Amino acid sequence: MVERLEGFCSENDWMRAYNEMNEFEKELYDWGAVIIKFWVQIDKETQLSRFTDRQIHRKSNGKSQMKTGVIEKNGTSMKKQSMK
């Protein structure tokens, strides 16, 4: 939870949020969902390198490189289509 790491919320806020996430996952599990969690960890140098590369690439082509949805062959986000 980025807010916790960046100091954007109090301890009570992030503890509440973690409890809500755990309760939601338990509900999913109780409904029969299979929950798979992945831990992804990279060192600070790699993270900075990737961030810098994205900044440079975004500036060179004028587009954001953030991935917010599945992209179809025609380049349209499926998430945006489903909201129509």
Side-chain angles (χ1 to χ4, degrees), residues 1 3-4 7-21:
M1 196 164 100
E3 293 83 1
R4 174 184 175 203
F8 295 138
C9 62
S10 69
E11 182 174 348
N12 285 339
D13 289 338
W14 66 258
M15 295 276 298
R16 178 191 45 76
Y18 277 120
N19 286 333
E20 289 174 0
M21 286 183 266

Side-chain angles (χ1 to χ4, degrees), residues 5 9 24 41 74 81:
L5 297 174
C9 62
F24 177 67
Q41 182 172 339
N74 66 2
Q81 282 185 343

Side-chain angles (χ1 to χ4, degrees), residues 1-64:
M1 196 164 100
V2 174
E3 293 83 1
R4 174 184 175 203
L5 297 174
E6 297 293 333
F8 295 138
C9 62
S10 69
E11 182 174 348
N12 285 339
D13 289 338
W14 66 258
M15 295 276 298
R16 178 191 45 76
Y18 277 120
N19 286 333
E20 289 174 0
M21 286 183 266
N22 288 331
E23 289 172 11
F24 177 67
E25 289 176 356
K26 184 177 182 323
E27 285 181 28
L28 292 174
Y29 176 80
D30 291 345
W31 293 335
V34 176
I35 300 170
I36 301 173
K37 294 185 179 186
F38 294 90
W39 177 267
V40 178
Q41 182 172 339
I42 59 174
D43 58 54
K44 289 183 179 185
E45 293 79 18
T46 303
Q47 185 177 12
L48 179 60
S49 174
R50 291 178 181 181
F51 179 74
T52 303
D53 288 346
R54 283 195 303 269
Q55 280 187 314
I56 292 168
H57 188 67
R58 180 176 49 219
K59 289 177 183 176
S60 68
N61 70 12
K63 296 181 180 177
S64 172

